[in-house]
Amino acid sequence: MQRCHIDCIKKDGINDLDLCFMPATALAAEIRAKTVSPVEVVSAILAQVEALEPKLNAFATFTPECALEAAKAAEKSVLAGEILGDLHGVPVTIKDLTSTAGIPTQRGSKILAGNIHYIPLDAHGMACEGARRGHHSQPQTN
């Protein structure tokens, strides 16, 4: 039984499903080596989310356009030869209990639906630290 509706083979035999289940450290190494791009990784993951989310209902807030924008920025840094963080280009999700800039955080409560917290650009919270390290987090999980 095929676990994924995607059958596209990447360089060196890495397919989209491999990208979805590869350990973060291995994925970061592949990105640094330029054998896969952050955009390829996010695109593969978004395809899986779009296929499975109706059944799983895993995300409180799903922001594919933000994820792709962050992946493009990460890829630009890789191609420019910039110094990269340990998990540069590796997408992560954040639990809906953690406030993230510009994204509704409802903490599992209908009362807080659509609640967007103000987070200063210089805040030292989890989202900002992740951005400094080069990984991007966009969707919030239930």
Side-chain angles (χ1 to χ4, degrees):
M1 180 170 113
Q2 189 178 9
R3 293 174 56 193
C4 175
H5 68 282
I6 300 169
D7 224 13
C8 178
I9 302 298
K10 303 287 182 212
K11 298 174 196 167
D12 301 320
I14 299 173
N15 65 37
D16 285 348
L17 189 59
D18 293 333
L19 295 177
C20 293
F21 290 97
M22 189 177 290
T25 53
L27 193 54
E30 295 288 341
I31 290 169
R32 279 192 302 278
K34 299 178 186 171
T35 55
V36 297
S37 79
V39 175
E40 287 176 319
V41 174
V42 167
S43 295
I45 291 171
L46 290 177
Q48 283 295 292
V49 171
E50 289 171 3
L52 299 174
E53 178 60 10
K55 294 177 187 173
L56 299 177
N57 191 31
F59 293 96
T61 305
F62 183 54
T63 56
E65 57 286 332
C66 293
L68 279 171
E69 183 180 313
K72 288 175 185 176
E75 184 171 276
K76 186 177 175 182
S77 297
V78 171
L79 294 175
E82 295 177 13
I83 296 173
L84 307 176
D86 295 340
L87 294 176
H88 187 87
V90 176
V92 298
T93 59
I94 303 295
K95 181 74 175 158
D96 185 45
L97 297 174
T98 303
S99 295
T100 49
I103 298 174
T105 303
Q106 54 194 38
R107 295 180 170 85
S109 170
K110 290 182 181 183
I111 294 171
L112 296 176
N115 188 32
I116 297 178
H117 297 279
Y118 170 73
I119 299 176
L121 293 177
D122 61 349
H124 296 288
M126 187 170 155
C128 291
E129 180 60 25
R132 280 194 290 277
R133 291 180 179 265
H135 60 274
H136 44 278
S137 60
Q138 299 307 326
Q140 289 185 326
T141 55
N142 285 321

